Amino acid sequence: MAKNVGILAMEVYFPPTCIQQEVLEAHDGASKGKYTIGLGQDCMAFCTEVEDVISMSMTAVTSLLEKYGVDPKEIGRLEVGSETVLDKSKSIKTFLMPIFEKCGNTDIEGVDSTNACYGGTAALFNCVNWVESSSWDGRYGLVVCTDSAVYAEGPARPTGGAAAIAMLIGPNAPISFESKLRASHMAHVYDFYKPDLASEYPVVDGKLSQTCYLMALDSCYKSFCDKYQKLEGKQFSVNDAEYFVFHSPYNKLVQKSFARLLFNDFLSSASSIDEAAKEKLSPFSSLTNEESYQSRDLEKATQQVAKPFYDAKVQPSTLIPKQVGNMYTASLYAAFASLLHNKNSTLVKMSNLVVVYQPPCFPSVLTRETSFSLSNIATVMNVSEKLKSRNEFPPEKFVLIMKLMEHRYGGKDFVTSKDCSLLAPGTYYLTEVDSKYRRFYTKKAVENGVVANGH
Amino acid sequence: MAKNVGILAMEVYFPPTCIQQEVLEAHDGASKGKYTIGLGQDCMAFCTEVEDVISMSMTAVTSLLEKYGVDPKEIGRLEVGSETVLDKSKSIKTFLMPIFEKCGNTDIEGVDSTNACYGGTAALFNCVNWVESSSWDGRYGLVVCTDSAVYAEGPARPTGGAAAIAMLIGPNAPISFESKLRASHMAHVYDFYKPDLASEYPVVDGKLSQTCYLMALDSCYKSFCDKYQKLEGKQFSVNDAEYFVFHSPYNKLVQKSFARLLFNDFLSSASSIDEAAKEKLSPFSSLTNEESYQSRDLEKATQQVAKPFYDAKVQPSTLIPKQVGNMYTASLYAAFASLLHNKNSTLVKMSNLVVVYQPPCFPSVLTRETSFSLSNIATVMNVSEKLKSRNEFPPEKFVLIMKLMEHRYGGKDFVTSKDCSLLAPGTYYLTEVDSKYRRFYTKKAVENGVVANGH
């Protein structure tokens, strides 16, 4: 069986068009700090009429292949995670196939995975399992998480975002997974869903959704700690992981979630809880589970206790999610990319544990002599430069674009402005949807015909 | 690594409501034999307003667990393949979770796989790979393929159908897979897709779709034969497989496809082609690929050559697809279930090879002493009885139901008739979609509280 299977290379793409949360806040007439402190968000990326989940995934995939020097023939499996459906039968994966078809490679397994934000993690696990299975033919797997999160006008709108992340999967990876230390929690709940097929917007019960997130987190953390105890013969606490990476609908929920882990540690008398923390949390020890999800006082107390841990173990992974917004399936991996961006030089010097939610799992980040290294991934992703070179839109222009997109969603027989002036060279963009709903994309020319190779 | 991973158990469900193709043909004013001989179809199942892909998958899963005596706690992975989307974010898998949640089992990986009819095969491969991977925790995998194929009034309507098939996956299976003898062909084509999100009906280019099927078949067969030659050291021909099982949009395409394999064998001078066959096919040896897909004369000649092979190697797998119609992701497995139904007693006496398309792969069917046996699967599936006990609808009633379903698709705030009189005990059915699009299902009571256990 192939060993140390995991992520060899990554590329992150988000639209260069964004709006500052502070500006949106003022425009919406929201109280000052509602989006920036209340939600914990700095900025929000969005697709204009020339970009969508398909174009973003094409951009991320071609960029990854070019920048890491991977021949499209070397790909044996391609998996896409998304919950932004543009066609109910034809997968996003098929839109990526021309990249491989033109090299004569059509023997590529894998499809689209759909299950809200978890679809990307499912795609990743499927790829890892394939490399470990008897069906593996020695080629790389490729996973793409691509989503555009948009909401109807109202309180959910500032929790949007958009991105595509591509990951190359294979053995002897600098980022590999602890297969036995993994827990999932799946349940049938109507907190976030997209049943109105003619609309791009989801139906959301924000309060229920937040409680579901915390309940699932509790369930996974308990199950994870049980497995850890059995395998390692000792109790787990947040002290035992160097970093925690969370799926991030908005940063405030990440703060609350990490604090919730501390509350779990308190309830199980784990080593992360010192005397001072014990004192702060003991008034809440007799709350029922249901009460504990609703208690504002508990939330405050746990966040106080968690603060120093949060700054050290969580904050390094929050950069892109705070700057780009919710990216659904890509959110977790954007958080992970932020950690690599901020800490790659220290990560390579030690063996680290990183808890990833949702679902929690522990990929161990190891130092390994390989052509795919953490520092190379950080260099190629070039996060600072991508964030810096964005265009901030005024709210009026943002609202107009949202209206146009609403009108266009699911439509046919239109051409776009084909205005790619704001896009970086090498970016794919939508030019037309014809009378048979067929979608056409073009790639913005790269200067001198080459993309800088960061390998 | 777990050995001989494959299908341990199967259950087939299709609606008990159907229409005879001969009757539909007359009603539509089509020429006699257009549907029965032209398409090769006998009958077509369809969902009435109380059934859909979710209810069918619930029925198939609970029936499998009960009839084979599998505890819901023993399931560690659940994968759904479908291209009948009722929600763009919330997976069909989540609707199945209550079956497991009530036993306290929420730690179940797996999501929905979408890629036209291939989604079910992707789900199956994902489950098999999981059992072979380091992440396997010893529990069973469960795969569900569920689809309702419906078409707008017109020439495509008689190619509909509906079914859900559940398969239990684990090691030491009576049906296991040859992992190295497998070929796929994926390409970006607009032959069949569902871009009109507000409509249940697909956009179809029938002629292009048929050519695509044959091109993909050629590509896979060539790639498969190459792999066979490398691994087995000899040339493959249709002689080398006991049975061939095809994805079946309609039976005539299966006839054409199998004949196309014989043409491939002719072009590569394989052993299946005797002197008489060679003589019949030699006039076509200089056709270009494109010409060969369009030539009616070639089609006739290959079908003549293929006839005796077809009767022995393909016909045993055509029962359910001809009686139920296209089942998209479930179609291939309904064909496989037909083979088990017709040949389980001879299959267990030898080691067989079965080519499955799409994509072609060779699961070797082996005799093995196990509690899950081929004959038990055939007994539990009880195909004859299920086919016999159906209700044939007159065309006027069928058309009215299609109209009602069109109107209801994607809708909210309605209750169904709740009329389950035609459904078998233990069948799930839709009772209501509330103002928030939440869907409610009920199970038809089982007499005496038990379902017959075929184990």
Side-chain angles (χ1 to χ4, degrees):
Chain A
M1 192 189 283
K3 293 283 174 233
N4 300 311
V5 180
I7 301 168
L8 294 164
M10 274 180 96
E11 175 60 311
V12 177
Y13 177 80
F14 41 82
T17 40
C18 64
I19 181 165
Q20 288 291 344
Q21 292 284 2
E22 203 171 11
V23 171
L24 188 59
E25 205 173 77
H27 173 263
D28 291 354
S31 57
K32 187 150 179 62
K34 191 170 180 192
Y35 301 169
T36 49
I37 298 163
L39 294 173
Q41 292 298 110
D42 296 333
C43 190
M44 177 169 70
F46 56 87
C47 290
T48 63
E49 46 123 26
V50 293
E51 289 197 275
D52 60 26
V53 287
I54 295 168
S55 69
M56 288 195 296
S57 64
M58 291 165 114
T59 302
V61 164
T62 51
S63 180
L64 181 143
L65 295 174
E66 283 166 10
K67 290 182 181 163
Y68 292 88
V70 175
D71 187 327
K73 282 186 194 147
E74 294 179 86
I75 303 298
R77 195 175 182 95
L78 174 58
E79 302 268 0
V80 178
S82 181
E83 55 174 318
T84 308
V85 170
L86 293 174
D87 191 294
K88 293 179 287 183
S89 169
K90 185 171 164 58
S91 64
I92 295 172
K93 184 246 179 122
T94 62
F95 286 92
L96 296 168
M97 281 308 301
I99 298 165
F100 306 92
E101 285 175 58
K102 66 183 177 197
C103 303
N105 185 6
T106 58
D107 190 358
I108 299 184
E109 290 186 5
V111 298
D112 286 8
S113 289
T114 311
N115 193 106
C117 302
Y118 179 71
T121 298
L124 175 62
F125 287 169
N126 284 340
C127 242
V128 169
N129 291 346
W130 172 67
V131 175
E132 291 184 348
S133 79
S134 66
S135 304
W136 185 48
D137 63 3
R139 293 184 292 169
Y140 294 123
L142 189 55
V143 173
V144 192
C145 305
T146 183
D147 269 307
S148 167
V150 288
Y151 295 86
E153 262 184 302
R157 178 154 276 184
T159 63
I165 293 191
M167 293 177 275
L168 191 73
I169 308 300
N172 306 317
I175 304 148
S176 64
F177 294 87
E178 276 293 343
S179 58
K180 297 300 177 200
L181 284 171
R182 193 152 106 193
S184 305
H185 179 91
M186 298 278 179
H188 171 47
V189 192
Y190 282 103
D191 62 322
F192 177 105
Y193 50 120
K194 292 184 170 179
D196 182 357
L197 301 168
S199 165
E200 189 167 10
Y201 302 137
V203 175
V204 191
D205 181 338
K207 204 172 146 49
L208 176 62
S209 192
Q210 189 174 305
T211 306
C212 285
Y213 190 115
L214 296 175
M215 282 174 62
L217 184 69
D218 280 355
S219 167
C220 285
Y221 193 59
K222 281 194 180 73
S223 167
F224 172 82
C225 290
D226 286 350
K227 292 178 185 183
Y228 187 91
Q229 175 83 50
K230 270 184 205 144
L231 275 166
E232 304 289 328
K234 57 181 181 185
Q235 191 181 24
F236 182 87
S237 86
V238 297
N239 276 335
D240 295 302
E242 205 77 34
Y243 297 106
F244 289 75
V245 184
F246 286 81
H247 169 62
S248 175
Y250 49 94
N251 179 259
K252 188 68 173 204
L253 188 53
V254 173
Q255 296 172 37
K256 287 183 189 177
S257 298
F258 181 70
R260 184 86 197 173
L261 297 188
L262 267 299
F263 185 56
N264 273 275
D265 277 2
F266 162 72
L267 292 176
S268 64
S269 311
S271 64
S272 60
I273 305 297
D274 61 16
E275 283 310 313
K278 219 175 268 175
E279 204 166 298
K280 276 206 186 87
L281 296 177
S282 56
F284 307 100
S285 59
S286 60
L287 290 185
T288 65
N289 243 349
E290 194 45 43
E291 286 166 347
S292 76
Y293 294 124
Q294 311 305 334
S295 167
R296 290 271 181 156
D297 291 336
L298 171 61
E299 204 176 287
K300 268 187 206 157
T302 51
Q303 279 188 255
Q304 265 177 23
V305 169
K307 183 73 170 59
F309 295 99
Y310 178 89
D311 291 345
K313 293 173 186 287
V314 183
Q315 193 276 334
S317 67
T318 60
L319 176 66
I320 304 175
K322 287 179 77 161
Q323 281 291 327
V324 173
N326 195 357
M327 297 154 266
Y328 293 158
T329 57
S331 168
L332 176 58
Y333 303 97
F336 191 67
S338 304
L339 180 67
L340 291 182
H341 167 73
N342 283 315
K343 296 284 176 184
N344 72 82
S345 59
T346 53
L347 281 177
V348 293
K349 291 200 193 85
M350 49 183 165
S351 172
N352 283 278
L353 286 175
V354 183
V355 176
V356 176
Y357 177 82
Q358 122 129 34
C361 63
F362 270 49
S364 54
V365 181
L366 303 165
T367 314
R368 207 170 286 120
E369 284 300 317
T370 158
S371 60
F372 297 103
S373 68
L374 296 184
S375 61
N376 186 38
I377 294 173
T379 307
V380 166
M381 290 194 304
N382 202 3
V383 170
S384 293
E385 189 52 38
K386 280 177 186 158
L387 286 173
K388 240 184 289 169
S389 60
R390 296 193 292 176
N391 291 274
E392 291 171 15
F393 274 42
E396 297 75 20
K397 210 171 154 191
F398 165 71
V399 170
L400 275 179
I401 287 169
M402 288 297 107
K403 276 212 188 345
L404 175 63
M405 303 291 264
E406 258 177 52
H407 172 70
R408 289 254 175 95
Y409 182 71
K412 60 177 175 176
D413 225 351
F414 64 84
V415 291
T416 70
S417 66
K418 301 179 187 174
D419 177 4
C420 59
S421 57
L422 298 179
L423 306 177
T427 305
Y428 282 84
Y429 60 98
L430 179 70
T431 57
E432 185 187 352
V433 178
D434 76 4
S435 61
K436 288 180 169 172
Y437 295 96
R438 292 178 297 196
R439 307 175 78 85
F440 297 90
Y441 297 87
T442 300
K443 188 179 184 178
K444 182 170 174 176
V446 177
E447 284 148 55
N448 307 322
V450 288
V451 172
N453 188 331
H455 191 44
Chain B
M1 191 189 284
K3 294 281 175 235
N4 299 313
V5 179
I7 301 168
L8 295 162
M10 274 179 96
E11 175 59 310
V12 177
Y13 178 80
F14 42 81
T17 41
C18 63
I19 180 165
Q20 288 292 343
Q21 292 284 3
E22 203 171 11
V23 171
L24 188 58
E25 204 173 77
H27 172 264
D28 290 353
S31 57
K32 189 152 176 60
K34 190 171 180 192
Y35 300 169
T36 49
I37 299 163
L39 293 174
Q41 291 298 110
D42 295 333
C43 190
M44 176 169 71
F46 56 87
C47 290
T48 64
E49 46 123 27
V50 293
E51 290 197 275
D52 60 26
V53 287
I54 295 168
S55 68
M56 288 195 296
S57 63
M58 292 165 114
T59 303
V61 164
T62 51
S63 181
L64 182 142
L65 296 174
E66 283 167 8
K67 290 183 181 162
Y68 292 88
V70 176
D71 187 327
K73 280 185 196 149
E74 295 179 86
I75 303 298
R77 194 174 183 96
L78 174 59
E79 302 268 0
V80 178
S82 181
E83 56 174 315
T84 308
V85 170
L86 294 174
D87 190 293
K88 293 178 288 183
S89 170
K90 186 171 163 58
S91 64
I92 295 172
K93 184 245 177 123
T94 62
F95 286 91
L96 296 167
M97 281 309 301
I99 298 165
F100 306 92
E101 286 175 58
K102 66 183 178 198
C103 303
N105 185 6
T106 58
D107 190 359
I108 299 185
E109 290 187 5
V111 298
D112 286 8
S113 288
T114 311
N115 193 107
C117 301
Y118 179 71
T121 298
L124 175 62
F125 288 168
N126 285 340
C127 241
V128 168
N129 290 346
W130 172 67
V131 175
E132 290 184 349
S133 80
S134 66
S135 304
W136 186 48
D137 64 2
R139 293 184 291 169
Y140 295 123
L142 188 55
V143 174
V144 192
C145 305
T146 183
D147 269 307
S148 168
V150 288
Y151 295 86
E153 262 184 302
R157 178 154 275 183
T159 63
I165 294 192
M167 294 177 275
L168 191 73
I169 308 300
N172 307 317
I175 305 149
S176 64
F177 295 87
E178 276 293 344
S179 58
K180 297 300 177 201
L181 284 172
R182 192 152 107 193
S184 304
H185 179 91
M186 299 278 179
H188 171 46
V189 193
Y190 282 103
D191 62 322
F192 177 106
Y193 51 121
K194 291 183 170 179
D196 183 358
L197 301 168
S199 165
E200 190 168 9
Y201 302 136
V203 175
V204 191
D205 181 337
K207 203 172 147 47
L208 176 63
S209 192
Q210 188 174 306
T211 306
C212 285
Y213 191 114
L214 296 176
M215 283 174 61
L217 183 69
D218 280 355
S219 167
C220 285
Y221 193 59
K222 281 194 181 74
S223 166
F224 172 82
C225 289
D226 286 350
K227 292 178 184 183
Y228 186 91
Q229 174 84 49
K230 270 184 204 145
L231 275 166
E232 304 289 328
K234 58 182 180 184
Q235 189 180 25
F236 183 86
S237 84
V238 297
N239 276 335
D240 295 303
E242 205 78 35
Y243 297 106
F244 289 76
V245 184
F246 286 82
H247 168 63
S248 176
Y250 50 93
N251 179 259
K252 187 68 173 203
L253 188 53
V254 173
Q255 296 173 37
K256 287 183 190 178
S257 299
F258 181 71
R260 184 86 197 174
L261 296 188
L262 267 299
F263 185 57
N264 274 275
D265 276 2
F266 162 72
L267 292 176
S268 64
S269 312
S271 64
S272 59
I273 305 298
D274 61 17
E275 284 308 313
K278 219 174 270 177
E279 204 167 299
K280 274 205 188 89
L281 296 177
S282 56
F284 307 99
S285 58
S286 61
L287 290 185
T288 65
N289 243 349
E290 195 45 44
E291 286 166 348
S292 77
Y293 294 124
Q294 311 306 333
S295 168
R296 290 273 181 153
D297 291 337
L298 171 61
E299 203 177 287
K300 268 188 205 156
T302 51
Q303 279 188 257
Q304 265 178 21
V305 169
K307 184 73 170 62
F309 294 99
Y310 179 89
D311 291 345
K313 292 174 186 287
V314 183
Q315 192 277 334
S317 67
T318 60
L319 175 67
I320 304 175
K322 286 179 77 162
Q323 281 291 327
V324 173
N326 195 356
M327 298 154 265
Y328 294 159
T329 57
S331 168
L332 177 58
Y333 303 97
F336 190 66
S338 304
L339 180 67
L340 292 182
H341 167 74
N342 282 316
K343 297 283 178 185
N344 72 81
S345 58
T346 53
L347 281 178
V348 293
K349 290 200 193 85
M350 50 184 164
S351 173
N352 282 278
L353 287 175
V354 183
V355 177
V356 176
Y357 176 84
Q358 118 131 27
C361 65
F362 270 49
S364 55
V365 182
L366 303 165
T367 314
R368 206 170 286 121
E369 283 301 316
T370 159
S371 60
F372 297 103
S373 68
L374 295 184
S375 61
N376 187 39
I377 293 173
T379 306
V380 166
M381 289 194 304
N382 202 4
V383 170
S384 292
E385 189 52 36
K386 280 177 187 158
L387 286 174
K388 240 185 287 169
S389 60
R390 296 193 292 175
N391 291 273
E392 293 172 14
F393 274 42
E396 297 75 18
K397 210 171 153 191
F398 165 70
V399 170
L400 276 179
I401 287 170
M402 289 297 108
K403 277 211 186 347
L404 176 62
M405 302 291 264
E406 258 176 53
H407 173 69
R408 288 253 175 96
Y409 182 72
K412 60 177 174 175
D413 226 352
F414 64 86
V415 290
T416 69
S417 66
K418 300 178 188 175
D419 177 3
C420 60
S421 58
L422 298 179
L423 306 177
T427 305
Y428 281 85
Y429 59 99
L430 179 70
T431 56
E432 185 187 351
V433 178
D434 77 3
S435 62
K436 287 180 169 172
Y437 294 96
R438 291 178 298 196
R439 306 176 77 85
F440 297 91
Y441 297 87
T442 299
K443 188 180 184 177
K444 182 171 175 175
V446 177
E447 285 148 56
N448 307 323
V450 288
V451 172
N453 188 331
H455 191 43

